[in-house]
């Protein structure tokens, strides 16, 4: 057909203007395949990914509500989240203050959760402790985000 791109997906041929969307569908399909394989091979790991994603999502919602605009939120995400991630991975002996701050951020807890799920011979105690940390941090972030969103709509 004239004017159509070669972006095929299971017999679907998209107009040239929709080619990027067809690529996104292919990427999403590949990501979904990886997630399904992960769920079959390591179901415990999938639980950790979902839990960690929920907590980080609550942090992102709070950041977006505080920013009040998409451009500002994107800028804040880069300026705040990247240093916070690195701060969250500081070892205990490297810088004591950074380590204690990282105890209240979700990233280090998610790393420890996933590390225990993948490599520990008996991960249950670590998983329980890190799950409680992630749930507590997530609850606080969710409550703060909810309050910030309410003030936006008022």
């Amino acid at each position: 057909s004239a004017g159509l791109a070669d972006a095929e997906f299971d017999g679907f041929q998209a107009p040239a203007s929709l080619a990027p969307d067809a690529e996104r569908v292919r990427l999403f399909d590949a990501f979904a395949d990886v997630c399904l394989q992960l769920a079959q091979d390591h179901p415990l790991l999938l639980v950790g990914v979902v839990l960690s994603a929920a907590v980080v999502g609550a942090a992102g919602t709070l950041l977006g509500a505080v920013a009040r605009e998409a451009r500002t939120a994107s800028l804040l995400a880069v300026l705040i989240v990247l240093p916070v991630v690195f701060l969250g991975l500081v070892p205990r002996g490297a810088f004591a203050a950074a380590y204690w701050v990282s105890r209240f951020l979700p990233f280090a807890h998610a790393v420890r959760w996933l590390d225990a799920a993948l490599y520990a011979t008996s991960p249950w105690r670590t998983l329980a402790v890190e799950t409680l940390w992630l749930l507590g941090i997530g609850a606080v972030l969710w409550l703060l985000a909810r309050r910030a969103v309410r003030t936006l709509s008022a």
Side-chain angles (χ1 to χ4, degrees):
S1 303
L4 296 180
D6 288 332
E8 290 185 45
F9 180 73
D10 289 336
F12 172 72
Q13 192 148 26
S17 64
L18 293 179
D21 291 332
E23 290 300 318
R24 282 189 208 110
V25 168
R26 282 192 190 121
L27 286 172
F28 179 76
D29 186 48
F31 180 72
D33 287 344
V34 169
C35 288
L36 289 173
Q37 189 65 39
L38 179 67
Q40 290 173 351
D41 295 345
H42 304 285
L44 188 61
L45 191 61
L46 187 63
V47 171
V49 169
V50 169
L51 177 62
S52 301
V55 176
V56 172
T61 303
L62 175 61
L63 188 66
V66 169
R68 297 182 179 202
E69 186 179 284
R71 288 182 189 167
T72 307
S74 297
L75 182 61
L76 282 176
V78 172
L79 293 176
I80 293 174
V81 173
L82 287 176
V84 165
V85 169
F86 292 124
L87 181 67
L89 300 176
V90 171
R92 178 180 290 198
F95 185 54
Y99 172 76
W100 285 106
V101 169
S102 75
R103 296 289 292 170
F104 300 101
L105 301 172
F107 307 106
H109 297 289
V111 168
R112 283 192 287 272
W113 202 104
L114 296 171
D115 183 59
L118 280 173
Y119 304 115
T121 55
S122 180
W124 305 113
R125 182 180 174 351
T126 303
L127 292 179
V129 168
E130 299 306 333
T131 297
L132 289 174
W133 269 104
L134 286 168
L135 289 174
I137 292 168
V140 169
L141 290 171
W142 180 77
L143 289 171
L144 291 172
R146 186 176 165 126
R147 176 173 282 166
V149 168
R150 267 198 224 146
T151 58
L152 277 177
S153 62

CSV table of all heavy atoms in Angstrom, one decimal, residues 106-145:
chain,number,residue,atom,x,y,z
A,106,PRO,N,13.6,4.1,49.5
A,106,PRO,CA,13.3,2.7,49.1
A,106,PRO,C,14.3,2.0,48.3
A,106,PRO,O,14.3,0.7,48.2
A,106,PRO,CB,12.0,2.9,48.2
A,106,PRO,CG,12.1,4.3,47.7
A,106,PRO,CD,12.9,5.1,48.8
A,107,PHE,N,15.3,2.6,47.7
A,107,PHE,CA,16.2,2.0,46.7
A,107,PHE,C,17.1,0.9,47.3
A,107,PHE,O,17.2,-0.2,46.8
A,107,PHE,CB,17.0,3.0,46.0
A,107,PHE,CG,16.1,4.1,45.4
A,107,PHE,CD1,16.1,5.4,45.9
A,107,PHE,CD2,15.3,3.8,44.3
A,107,PHE,CE1,15.2,6.3,45.4
A,107,PHE,CE2,14.5,4.8,43.7
A,107,PHE,CZ,14.4,6.0,44.3
A,108,ALA,N,17.7,1.2,48.4
A,108,ALA,CA,18.6,0.2,49.0
A,108,ALA,C,17.8,-1.0,49.6
A,108,ALA,O,18.3,-2.1,49.5
A,108,ALA,CB,19.4,0.9,50.2
A,109,HIS,N,16.6,-0.7,50.1
A,109,HIS,CA,15.8,-1.8,50.5
A,109,HIS,C,15.4,-2.7,49.4
A,109,HIS,O,15.3,-3.9,49.5
A,109,HIS,CB,14.6,-1.3,51.3
A,109,HIS,CG,14.9,-0.5,52.5
A,109,HIS,ND1,15.4,-1.2,53.6
A,109,HIS,CD2,14.9,0.8,52.8
A,109,HIS,CE1,15.7,-0.2,54.6
A,109,HIS,NE2,15.4,1.0,54.0
A,110,ALA,N,15.0,-2.1,48.2
A,110,ALA,CA,14.7,-2.9,47.1
A,110,ALA,C,15.9,-3.8,46.6
A,110,ALA,O,15.7,-4.9,46.2
A,110,ALA,CB,14.2,-2.0,45.9
A,111,VAL,N,17.0,-3.2,46.6
A,111,VAL,CA,18.2,-3.9,46.2
A,111,VAL,C,18.5,-5.1,47.1
A,111,VAL,O,18.8,-6.2,46.7
A,111,VAL,CB,19.5,-3.0,46.1
A,111,VAL,CG1,20.8,-3.8,46.0
A,111,VAL,CG2,19.3,-2.0,45.0
A,112,ARG,N,18.4,-4.9,48.4
A,112,ARG,CA,18.6,-6.0,49.4
A,112,ARG,C,17.5,-7.0,49.3
A,112,ARG,O,17.8,-8.2,49.4
A,112,ARG,CB,18.6,-5.4,50.8
A,112,ARG,CG,19.9,-4.7,51.2
A,112,ARG,CD,20.1,-4.4,52.6
A,112,ARG,NE,19.2,-3.4,53.1
A,112,ARG,CZ,19.6,-2.1,53.1
A,112,ARG,NH1,20.8,-1.7,52.6
A,112,ARG,NH2,18.8,-1.2,53.5
A,113,TRP,N,16.2,-6.6,49.0
A,113,TRP,CA,15.2,-7.6,48.8
A,113,TRP,C,15.5,-8.5,47.6
A,113,TRP,O,15.4,-9.7,47.7
A,113,TRP,CB,13.8,-6.8,48.6
A,113,TRP,CG,12.6,-7.6,48.9
A,113,TRP,CD1,11.8,-7.4,50.0
A,113,TRP,CD2,12.0,-8.6,48.1
A,113,TRP,NE1,10.7,-8.3,49.9
A,113,TRP,CE2,10.8,-9.0,48.7
A,113,TRP,CE3,12.3,-9.2,46.9
A,113,TRP,CZ2,10.0,-10.0,48.2
A,113,TRP,CZ3,11.5,-10.2,46.4
A,113,TRP,CH2,10.3,-10.6,47.1
A,114,LEU,N,15.8,-7.8,46.5
A,114,LEU,CA,16.0,-8.6,45.3
A,114,LEU,C,17.3,-9.5,45.4
A,114,LEU,O,17.3,-10.6,44.9
A,114,LEU,CB,16.1,-7.7,44.1
A,114,LEU,CG,14.9,-6.9,43.7
A,114,LEU,CD1,15.1,-5.8,42.7
A,114,LEU,CD2,13.8,-7.8,43.3
A,115,ASP,N,18.3,-8.9,46.1
A,115,ASP,CA,19.5,-9.7,46.3
A,115,ASP,C,19.2,-11.0,47.1
A,115,ASP,O,19.7,-12.1,46.8
A,115,ASP,CB,20.6,-8.8,47.0
A,115,ASP,CG,21.9,-9.5,47.2
A,115,ASP,OD1,22.5,-10.0,46.2
A,115,ASP,OD2,22.3,-9.7,48.4
A,116,ALA,N,18.4,-10.8,48.2
A,116,ALA,CA,18.1,-12.0,49.0
A,116,ALA,C,17.2,-13.0,48.2
A,116,ALA,O,17.5,-14.2,48.3
A,116,ALA,CB,17.3,-11.5,50.2
A,117,ALA,N,16.3,-12.5,47.4
A,117,ALA,CA,15.5,-13.4,46.6
A,117,ALA,C,16.3,-14.2,45.6
A,117,ALA,O,15.9,-15.3,45.3
A,117,ALA,CB,14.4,-12.6,45.9
A,118,LEU,N,17.3,-13.6,45.0
A,118,LEU,CA,18.1,-14.2,44.0
A,118,LEU,C,19.2,-15.1,44.6
A,118,LEU,O,19.4,-16.2,44.0
A,118,LEU,CB,18.7,-13.2,43.1
A,118,LEU,CG,17.8,-12.6,42.0
A,118,LEU,CD1,18.6,-11.4,41.3
A,118,LEU,CD2,17.4,-13.6,41.0
A,119,TYR,N,19.9,-14.7,45.6
A,119,TYR,CA,21.1,-15.3,46.0
A,119,TYR,C,21.2,-16.0,47.3
A,119,TYR,O,22.1,-16.8,47.6
A,119,TYR,CB,22.3,-14.3,45.9
A,119,TYR,CG,22.4,-13.7,44.5
A,119,TYR,CD1,22.2,-12.3,44.3
A,119,TYR,CD2,22.7,-14.4,43.4
A,119,TYR,CE1,22.3,-11.7,43.1
A,119,TYR,CE2,22.8,-13.8,42.1
A,119,TYR,CZ,22.6,-12.5,42.0
A,119,TYR,OH,22.6,-11.9,40.8
A,120,ALA,N,20.3,-15.6,48.2
A,120,ALA,CA,20.4,-16.2,49.6
A,120,ALA,C,19.8,-17.6,49.6
A,120,ALA,O,18.8,-17.9,48.9
A,120,ALA,CB,19.6,-15.3,50.5
A,121,THR,N,20.5,-18.5,50.4
A,121,THR,CA,20.0,-19.8,50.5
A,121,THR,C,18.7,-19.9,51.4
A,121,THR,O,17.9,-20.7,51.2
A,121,THR,CB,21.1,-20.8,51.1
A,121,THR,OG1,21.5,-20.2,52.3
A,121,THR,CG2,22.2,-20.9,50.1
A,122,SER,N,18.7,-19.0,52.4
A,122,SER,CA,17.5,-18.9,53.2
A,122,SER,C,17.1,-17.4,53.3
A,122,SER,O,17.5,-16.7,54.2
A,122,SER,CB,17.8,-19.4,54.6
A,122,SER,OG,16.6,-19.3,55.4
A,123,PRO,N,16.3,-16.9,52.4
A,123,PRO,CA,16.1,-15.4,52.3
A,123,PRO,C,15.0,-14.9,53.1
A,123,PRO,O,14.8,-13.7,53.2
A,123,PRO,CB,15.7,-15.3,50.8
A,123,PRO,CG,15.0,-16.5,50.5
A,123,PRO,CD,15.7,-17.6,51.2
A,124,TRP,N,14.3,-15.7,53.9
A,124,TRP,CA,13.0,-15.3,54.5
A,124,TRP,C,13.1,-14.2,55.5
A,124,TRP,O,12.3,-13.3,55.5
A,124,TRP,CB,12.3,-16.5,55.0
A,124,TRP,CG,12.1,-17.6,54.0
A,124,TRP,CD1,12.7,-18.8,53.9
A,124,TRP,CD2,11.4,-17.5,52.7
A,124,TRP,NE1,12.4,-19.4,52.7
A,124,TRP,CE2,11.6,-18.6,52.0
A,124,TRP,CE3,10.6,-16.5,52.2
A,124,TRP,CZ2,11.0,-18.9,50.8
A,124,TRP,CZ3,10.0,-16.7,51.0
A,124,TRP,CH2,10.2,-17.9,50.3
A,125,ARG,N,14.1,-14.2,56.3
A,125,ARG,CA,14.2,-13.1,57.3
A,125,ARG,C,14.5,-11.8,56.6
A,125,ARG,O,13.9,-10.8,57.0
A,125,ARG,CB,15.4,-13.5,58.3
A,125,ARG,CG,15.5,-12.4,59.4
A,125,ARG,CD,16.6,-12.7,60.4
A,125,ARG,NE,17.0,-11.8,61.4
A,125,ARG,CZ,16.7,-10.6,61.6
A,125,ARG,NH1,15.9,-10.0,60.8
A,125,ARG,NH2,17.2,-9.9,62.6
A,126,THR,N,15.5,-11.8,55.7
A,126,THR,CA,15.8,-10.6,55.0
A,126,THR,C,14.6,-10.1,54.2
A,126,THR,O,14.3,-8.9,54.2
A,126,THR,CB,17.0,-10.8,54.0
A,126,THR,OG1,18.1,-11.3,54.8
A,126,THR,CG2,17.4,-9.6,53.3
A,127,LEU,N,13.9,-11.0,53.5
A,127,LEU,CA,12.7,-10.6,52.8
A,127,LEU,C,11.6,-10.0,53.7
A,127,LEU,O,11.0,-9.0,53.3
A,127,LEU,CB,12.1,-11.8,52.0
A,127,LEU,CG,13.0,-12.3,50.9
A,127,LEU,CD1,12.3,-13.5,50.3
A,127,LEU,CD2,13.3,-11.3,49.9
A,128,ALA,N,11.5,-10.5,54.9
A,128,ALA,CA,10.5,-10.0,55.8
A,128,ALA,C,10.9,-8.6,56.3
A,128,ALA,O,10.0,-7.7,56.2
A,128,ALA,CB,10.3,-10.9,57.0
A,129,VAL,N,12.1,-8.4,56.6
A,129,VAL,CA,12.6,-7.1,57.1
A,129,VAL,C,12.5,-6.1,56.0
A,129,VAL,O,11.9,-5.0,56.2
A,129,VAL,CB,14.0,-7.2,57.7
A,129,VAL,CG1,14.6,-5.8,57.9
A,129,VAL,CG2,14.1,-8.0,58.9
A,130,GLU,N,13.0,-6.4,54.8
A,130,GLU,CA,12.9,-5.4,53.7
A,130,GLU,C,11.5,-5.2,53.2
A,130,GLU,O,11.2,-4.1,52.8
A,130,GLU,CB,13.9,-5.9,52.6
A,130,GLU,CG,15.3,-6.0,53.0
A,130,GLU,CD,15.9,-4.8,53.6
A,130,GLU,OE1,15.5,-3.7,53.3
A,130,GLU,OE2,16.9,-4.9,54.4
A,131,THR,N,10.7,-6.2,53.3
A,131,THR,CA,9.2,-6.0,52.9
A,131,THR,C,8.6,-5.0,53.9
A,131,THR,O,7.9,-4.1,53.4
A,131,THR,CB,8.5,-7.3,52.9
A,131,THR,OG1,9.0,-8.1,51.9
A,131,THR,CG2,7.0,-7.1,52.6
A,132,LEU,N,8.9,-5.1,55.2
A,132,LEU,CA,8.3,-4.2,56.1
A,132,LEU,C,8.8,-2.8,55.9
A,132,LEU,O,8.1,-1.8,56.0
A,132,LEU,CB,8.6,-4.6,57.6
A,132,LEU,CG,7.9,-5.9,58.0
A,132,LEU,CD1,8.4,-6.3,59.4
A,132,LEU,CD2,6.4,-5.6,58.0
A,133,TRP,N,10.1,-2.6,55.6
A,133,TRP,CA,10.7,-1.3,55.3
A,133,TRP,C,10.0,-0.7,54.1
A,133,TRP,O,9.6,0.5,54.1
A,133,TRP,CB,12.2,-1.4,55.1
A,133,TRP,CG,13.0,-1.2,56.3
A,133,TRP,CD1,13.7,-2.2,57.0
A,133,TRP,CD2,13.3,0.0,56.9
A,133,TRP,NE1,14.4,-1.6,58.1
A,133,TRP,CE2,14.1,-0.2,58.0
A,133,TRP,CE3,13.0,1.4,56.7
A,133,TRP,CZ2,14.6,0.8,58.9
A,133,TRP,CZ3,13.4,2.4,57.5
A,133,TRP,CH2,14.2,2.1,58.6
A,134,LEU,N,9.9,-1.5,53.0
A,134,LEU,CA,9.3,-1.0,51.8
A,134,LEU,C,7.8,-0.6,52.0
A,134,LEU,O,7.4,0.4,51.5
A,134,LEU,CB,9.5,-2.0,50.6
A,134,LEU,CG,10.9,-2.2,50.1
A,134,LEU,CD1,11.0,-3.4,49.2
A,134,LEU,CD2,11.2,-0.9,49.3
A,135,LEU,N,7.1,-1.4,52.7
A,135,LEU,CA,5.7,-1.1,53.0
A,135,LEU,C,5.6,0.2,53.8
A,135,LEU,O,4.7,1.0,53.5
A,135,LEU,CB,5.0,-2.3,53.7
A,135,LEU,CG,4.7,-3.5,52.8
A,135,LEU,CD1,4.2,-4.6,53.7
A,135,LEU,CD2,3.8,-3.2,51.7
A,136,GLY,N,6.4,0.3,54.8
A,136,GLY,CA,6.4,1.5,55.6
A,136,GLY,C,6.8,2.8,54.8
A,136,GLY,O,6.1,3.8,54.9
A,137,ILE,N,7.8,2.7,54.1
A,137,ILE,CA,8.2,3.9,53.3
A,137,ILE,C,7.2,4.2,52.2
A,137,ILE,O,6.8,5.3,52.0
A,137,ILE,CB,9.6,3.6,52.6
A,137,ILE,CG1,10.7,3.5,53.6
A,137,ILE,CG2,9.9,4.6,51.5
A,137,ILE,CD1,12.0,3.0,53.1
A,138,GLY,N,6.6,3.1,51.6
A,138,GLY,CA,5.6,3.3,50.6
A,138,GLY,C,4.3,3.9,51.2
A,138,GLY,O,3.7,4.8,50.6
A,139,ALA,N,4.0,3.5,52.4
A,139,ALA,CA,2.8,4.1,53.1
A,139,ALA,C,3.0,5.6,53.3
A,139,ALA,O,2.1,6.4,53.1
A,139,ALA,CB,2.5,3.3,54.3
A,140,VAL,N,4.1,5.9,53.8
A,140,VAL,CA,4.4,7.3,54.1
A,140,VAL,C,4.4,8.2,52.8
A,140,VAL,O,3.8,9.2,52.8
A,140,VAL,CB,5.8,7.5,54.9
A,140,VAL,CG1,6.2,8.9,54.9
A,140,VAL,CG2,5.7,6.9,56.3
A,141,LEU,N,5.1,7.7,51.8
A,141,LEU,CA,5.1,8.4,50.5
A,141,LEU,C,3.7,8.5,49.9
A,141,LEU,O,3.3,9.5,49.4
A,141,LEU,CB,6.0,7.7,49.5
A,141,LEU,CG,7.5,7.8,49.9
A,141,LEU,CD1,8.3,6.9,48.9
A,141,LEU,CD2,8.0,9.2,49.8
A,142,TRP,N,2.9,7.4,50.1
A,142,TRP,CA,1.5,7.5,49.5
A,142,TRP,C,0.7,8.5,50.3
A,142,TRP,O,-0.1,9.2,49.6
A,142,TRP,CB,0.9,6.1,49.6
A,142,TRP,CG,-0.5,6.0,49.1
A,142,TRP,CD1,-0.9,6.0,47.8
A,142,TRP,CD2,-1.7,6.0,49.9
A,142,TRP,NE1,-2.2,5.9,47.7
A,142,TRP,CE2,-2.8,6.0,49.0
A,142,TRP,CE3,-1.9,6.0,51.3
A,142,TRP,CZ2,-4.1,5.9,49.4
A,142,TRP,CZ3,-3.2,6.0,51.7
A,142,TRP,CH2,-4.3,6.0,50.8
A,143,LEU,N,0.8,8.5,51.6
A,143,LEU,CA,0.0,9.5,52.4
A,143,LEU,C,0.4,10.9,52.0
A,143,LEU,O,-0.4,11.8,51.9
A,143,LEU,CB,0.2,9.2,53.9
A,143,LEU,CG,-0.5,8.0,54.4
A,143,LEU,CD1,-0.1,7.7,55.8
A,143,LEU,CD2,-2.0,8.1,54.3
A,144,LEU,N,1.7,11.2,51.9
A,144,LEU,CA,2.2,12.5,51.5
A,144,LEU,C,1.8,12.9,50.1
A,144,LEU,O,1.3,14.0,49.9
A,144,LEU,CB,3.7,12.6,51.6
A,144,LEU,CG,4.3,12.5,53.0
A,144,LEU,CD1,5.8,12.4,53.0
A,144,LEU,CD2,3.9,13.8,53.8
A,145,ALA,N,1.8,11.9,49.2
A,145,ALA,CA,1.4,12.2,47.8
A,145,ALA,C,-0.1,12.5,47.8
A,145,ALA,O,-0.6,13.4,47.1
A,145,ALA,CB,1.7,11.0,46.9
